[in-house]
Amino acid sequence: MHSELMRVYDLTKSFGNREVLKKINMSINEGEIFALMGPSGVGKTTLFRILNLLEKPSEGKLFFRGIELTVCTMREKINARRSMSMLFQTPCVLNTTVFNNVAYGLVIRKVDKNAIREKVMNALSIVGLEGKEQQKARTLSGGEAQRMAFARAIVYDPDILLLDEPTSSLDPANVAMIEELIKRIRRELGTTIIIATHNIYQVKRIADRVGILLNGELIEVNSIGRIFEAPEDARTKAFINGEMIY
Ligand SMILES: Nc1ncnc2c1ncn2[C@@H]1O[C@H](COP(=O)(O)OP(=O)(O)O)[C@@H](O)[C@H]1O
Ligand SMILES: [Mg+2]
């Protein structure tokens, strides 16, 4: 059986009196690639920010390895936070070298200098940026900057990686490279991955399961095979067919 890494229970999020997420229930299995699909503005980033503890839900519960994060101790919260890593749509680039950008999370965690060097070089080699460690990060191309952001996200070996539309601003060659990277990270490091994406073909290429978010509701969660062949909700079919047009 699958072991559960994260669970969201009846989660609601409102901004003012606007309910953006409505009673979301979902469970993320250890080692899976889970795709979160839904139109722009539906609340994907908001959900990611809640999962990553950057934002609090208005109602509902969040569990990480069975621990309820909304009521746990500060220590448990910090531990959970450190097991997660989030990659934003546009890579956030610090005005320093590629090495320092990737090392950042480890420096914060007060990791020893030699270990930092080893981990950074290893992460840079996984994303194909070896030899670029002394280059100013601001001079990287868009695709390279996103790969650097990946290196920064995986350098402390998180249990779960939250990828918020990581390829939406990239050209096809870089999209292919990032998709390979995502599959490789899961294969070699066993990392659980949740990816928000609009790209239905990308979902088919890399994900195990997909959840469809429409009008603030998670209308369906299903395996890749089922969601395309036999979706349970008529709105899923309409959404997928709509996305195929692009
Ligand atoms: N801090 C905030 N304050 C008020 N409204 C917000 C805030 N963050 C997001 N929203 C709104 O919540 C909705 C969902 O946004 P978002 O999670 O970014 O959607 P998505 O990532 O799916 O495009 C949008 O209408 C957005 O304007
Ligand atoms: Mg978003």
Side-chain angles (χ1 to χ4, degrees), residues 5-236:
L5 186 65
M6 280 195 103
R7 172 176 290 273
V8 168
Y9 176 79
D10 270 357
L11 184 143
T12 294
K13 179 69 183 177
S14 306
F15 292 113
N17 52 18
R18 210 176 125 236
E19 228 175 43
V20 174
L21 296 170
K22 299 170 193 167
K23 286 202 180 274
I24 305 291
N25 283 286
M26 67 180 202
S27 161
I28 303 296
N29 299 320
E30 206 143 351
E32 77 171 328
I33 299 181
F34 185 97
L36 189 64
M37 288 201 79
S40 190
V42 80
K44 300 181 295 297
T45 299
T46 302
L47 182 56
F48 272 24
R49 288 174 54 82
I50 292 172
L51 294 177
N52 199 29
L53 309 179
L54 291 170
E55 188 110 50
K56 282 189 176 144
S58 306
E59 280 173 61
K61 295 174 183 170
L62 186 63
F63 296 88
F64 185 77
R65 294 197 188 287
I67 295 171
E68 191 188 335
L69 295 180
T70 28
V71 296
C72 67
T73 64
M74 191 48 96
R75 172 53 47 197
E76 286 173 319
K77 203 172 219 171
I78 290 170
N79 283 341
R81 183 77 179 68
R82 288 190 170 177
S83 311
M84 304 178 195
S85 194
M86 179 150 161
L87 194 74
F88 300 92
Q89 190 166 349
T90 31
C92 124
V93 175
L94 308 174
N95 191 19
T96 176
T97 60
V98 169
F99 184 95
N100 289 341
N101 264 272
V102 176
Y104 184 71
L106 298 171
V107 174
I108 285 182
R109 285 168 172 76
K110 299 193 167 57
V111 174
D112 140 290
K113 245 187 169 169
N114 290 327
I116 290 183
R117 176 138 204 100
E118 193 185 321
K119 284 173 191 287
V120 169
M121 297 314 255
N122 184 44
L124 285 175
S125 114
I126 289 176
V127 303
L129 287 178
E130 57 272 270
K132 300 230 180 229
E133 53 274 6
Q134 291 314 319
Q135 191 172 328
K136 286 275 178 212
R138 292 259 162 93
T139 65
L140 294 173
S141 72
E144 287 170 339
Q146 190 57 297
R147 271 148 59 207
M148 182 190 77
F150 254 91
R152 181 167 50 209
I154 61 170
V155 76
Y156 52 87
D157 200 12
D159 294 335
I160 187 161
L161 203 48
L162 303 168
L163 307 175
D164 194 1
E165 304 197 39
T167 61
S168 57
S169 57
L170 300 178
D171 60 273
N174 274 298
V175 171
M177 214 179 280
I178 294 285
E179 287 179 1
E180 276 314 308
L181 193 52
I182 291 169
K183 289 193 277 188
R184 186 169 166 204
I185 289 167
R186 194 263 294 268
R187 194 172 59 237
E188 291 181 12
L189 308 175
T191 314
T192 305
I193 296 171
I194 311 183
I195 176 173
T197 175
H198 278 288
N199 187 330
I200 205 99
Y201 304 101
Q202 176 165 71
V203 170
K204 273 189 171 171
R205 285 191 295 267
I206 68 173
D208 304 311
R209 290 196 304 150
V210 57
I212 310 280
L213 206 52
L214 276 184
N215 300 320
E217 286 177 75
L218 192 62
I219 61 162
E220 179 164 355
V221 174
N222 221 329
S223 66
I224 291 306
R226 307 260 327 156
I227 210 116
F228 294 105
E229 304 306 326
E232 280 158 20
D233 193 302
R235 293 170 295 175
T236 300

